Amino acid sequence: MAAAVAAAARRRGQMPVRPQYTNVSPARQQAHLKALVVSIALKRAFRKYDTNKSGKLEREQLIKLLTDLDISTPEGQEPTQEEVNHVLKEADVAGDGCIGLEELQTAVVSWETFVSKRQEMETLVEKYDKSGTGKLERNELQAMLTDLNAGKPVSDQEIDWVLQECDVMGDGAISKLELVKATAIWYSHVQEKSKVCAVL
């Protein structure tokens, strides 16, 4: 019945006709399938951890999810408050201190990216954190990026840019969690500069 009504509406020009994709590449099919699998997995995870059926993952529920996802620490070890705050800052678009279903993917990607590089980031902070704050202050960040830049000086403008892009907590320093993004954009920045130089 519904199909007949829809067909009639299309004949009257009231509904757009969805195109039939008969020549879709294997790569596109694979990408669509992967996105579908991720979507299903996120919905299942959301239902599992949303124990009070509020439609959001509250802080304690988020902590449980992050704990279960973390394979870089002993089983059952919860994330620090700083780590939880960072994930919320990255993913909580609504600003309600919770994670909605539409925010879950950002939260999971942010956390799993850090977890996969935790040891590397902790090593970098330990090496360059001369002030002992547990973070890289501006001059310490500059020292690290200079070393990553093969000893070539890094300008104040570049430091400003990295801080603007990566200082999620807005405290003027780079934490272990923020360092993942900082090193990634720094390497991409260097690659872009190299491409420009090659063209010139």
Side-chain angles (χ1 to χ4, degrees), residues 5-200:
V5 172
R10 280 195 293 269
R11 285 196 296 271
R12 292 194 299 269
Q14 295 175 355
M15 291 178 61
V17 178
R18 184 173 181 176
Q20 297 297 312
Y21 296 107
T22 57
N23 193 25
V24 180
S25 70
R28 188 176 176 192
Q29 289 177 341
Q30 189 66 26
H32 174 72
L33 181 59
K34 184 177 180 180
L36 185 61
V37 169
V38 168
S39 176
I40 292 171
L42 287 171
K43 288 177 181 176
R44 286 178 177 170
F46 192 84
R47 287 196 298 269
K48 176 181 177 181
Y49 292 95
D50 180 22
T51 52
N52 59 356
K53 309 303 178 187
S54 66
K56 297 178 181 180
L57 296 187
E58 294 155 19
R59 190 179 184 90
E60 289 305 313
Q61 296 166 337
L62 176 62
I63 289 173
K64 174 61 176 169
L65 169 64
L66 299 182
T67 302
D68 290 349
L69 287 175
D70 187 0
I71 59 173
S72 67
T73 57
E75 185 177 354
Q77 181 173 319
E78 294 184 351
T80 65
Q81 292 303 307
E82 178 192 6
E83 290 168 345
V84 178
N85 290 339
H86 177 87
V87 172
L88 282 168
K89 194 76 172 180
E90 285 272 25
D92 180 20
V93 177
D96 57 3
C98 303
I99 296 296
L101 178 58
E102 67 282 359
E103 299 166 332
L104 185 57
Q105 184 167 359
T106 301
V108 170
V109 169
S110 173
W111 180 242
E112 289 191 329
T113 300
F114 167 66
V115 166
S116 68
K117 295 181 177 292
R118 182 195 293 272
Q119 187 60 53
E120 181 183 346
M121 297 304 106
E122 288 179 346
T123 299
L124 283 173
V125 169
E126 184 177 346
K127 178 179 179 180
Y128 292 99
D129 177 26
K130 305 303 181 184
S131 58
T133 62
K135 300 180 180 182
L136 297 187
E137 306 297 331
R138 183 187 179 88
N139 61 318
E140 297 164 344
L141 174 63
Q142 190 162 21
M144 186 199 79
L145 294 181
T146 298
D147 284 352
L148 293 181
N149 203 36
K152 296 179 181 178
V154 176
S155 69
D156 287 339
Q157 290 83 358
E158 289 174 308
I159 299 300
D160 289 339
W161 172 69
V162 172
L163 283 169
Q164 181 180 347
E165 291 292 322
C166 305
D167 181 16
V168 175
M169 302 308 293
D171 56 5
I174 296 295
S175 69
K176 289 179 291 186
L177 291 96
E178 294 165 337
L179 196 54
V180 176
K181 185 176 181 181
T183 53
I185 71 164
W186 176 251
Y187 279 123
S188 68
H189 174 60
V190 170
Q191 289 169 358
E192 287 301 318
K193 287 177 67 176
S194 299
K195 288 179 182 178
V196 171
C197 291
V199 171
L200 295 177

